[in-house]
Amino acid sequence: MAEEKLVNTNIKVFWSYGNDDPLYLDEIFSKYNIRDEGIFELEEGKTNTLYLISYGYVNPTPFKSYREKPDSTIYIKGEDYLKKIDDPDKVILNFHAPPYNTKLDIAIINGKEREHVGSRGVRDLIEKYRPLLGLHGHIIESSDTDKIKNTIIINPGSLANEGLLKYSIIILERKLEGIMVKYKIKGTAILSG
């Protein structure tokens, strides 16, 4: 469908799994040469490009979903990717697991209790490397924007059970400062429709 809709356009699509995506999707993605994980250059061929780092696994849950890994594994995987980029200010960290102890990771437990259940590994990565932006999901009831140090983090949440798409619009500015290219987040919004 993406190939059909995007033919003759310059629109790029980046795929990223979530914890509820079955493992057989790996084979389908592989068949179509779709990468779902790793480092992606958002402006291929340009110097000082912006990078997207994607990883769809989450820290363990009581639900034992398809894509769960220990927090230590999530941290190590993220650090392996982040070490390959010389300037974390040019990184969008697209990890499905939201960082622990933020507005993005508050789950409703047993129908009423609210508890932080996010990834400590993802939080440690953001605190250490300070990427430009964090895109997250997983906790569908925690639609919000927050900040860790100077990193803006977003979880649009989900209303899929109601047949609605929730999404984020993020406005980035690319500026030349001297001989350096800098990126700045000019605005964010969480919408549904």
Side-chain angles (χ1 to χ4, degrees), residues 2-157:
E3 286 176 354
E4 177 186 310
K5 300 269 185 204
L6 301 177
V7 69
N8 298 323
T9 71
N10 290 327
I11 297 171
K12 292 182 179 184
V13 175
F14 296 92
W15 298 89
S16 183
Y17 291 129
N19 59 297
D20 289 329
D21 291 320
L23 298 177
Y24 69 78
L25 290 176
D26 295 348
E27 190 176 313
I28 295 169
F29 274 35
S30 178
K31 178 181 172 184
Y32 290 98
N33 294 318
I34 297 170
R35 285 181 48 221
D36 62 284
E37 177 186 310
I39 301 171
F40 301 87
E41 285 186 33
L42 296 184
E43 302 170 292
E44 290 179 45
K46 285 189 178 183
T47 56
N48 297 308
T49 189
L50 192 60
Y51 297 95
L52 177 76
I53 298 178
S54 285
Y55 190 63
Y57 285 80
V58 300
N59 46 302
T61 73
F63 310 108
K64 302 198 181 339
S65 56
Y66 298 106
R67 297 177 190 275
E68 295 182 13
K69 297 278 185 182
D71 250 336
S72 58
T73 302
I74 293 170
Y75 180 85
I76 290 166
K77 182 65 102 170
E79 189 162 63
D80 286 346
Y81 290 139
L82 283 158
K83 281 182 175 179
K84 293 177 182 172
I85 297 171
D86 58 357
D87 188 354
D89 283 346
K90 295 180 182 151
V91 171
I92 296 172
L93 193 66
N94 181 38
F95 274 42
H96 190 59
Y100 179 76
N101 199 24
T102 63
K103 295 177 186 176
L104 314 186
D105 80 320
I106 302 170
I108 297 171
I109 309 293
N110 299 325
K112 59 183 176 194
E113 296 174 49
R114 297 177 62 78
E115 193 175 308
H116 290 286
V117 296
S119 168
R120 293 173 192 270
V122 171
R123 181 171 188 109
D124 290 348
L125 287 168
I126 292 171
E127 287 180 349
K128 181 175 180 179
Y129 289 95
R130 300 180 185 197
L132 175 67
L133 176 67
L135 301 177
H136 307 282
H138 186 41
I139 311 301
I140 63 173
E141 64 268 30
S142 279
S143 171
D144 216 329
T145 301
D146 205 349
K147 205 171 194 181
I148 298 176
K149 300 199 178 193
N150 289 330
T151 301
I152 293 174
I153 55 175
I154 300 171
N155 176 1

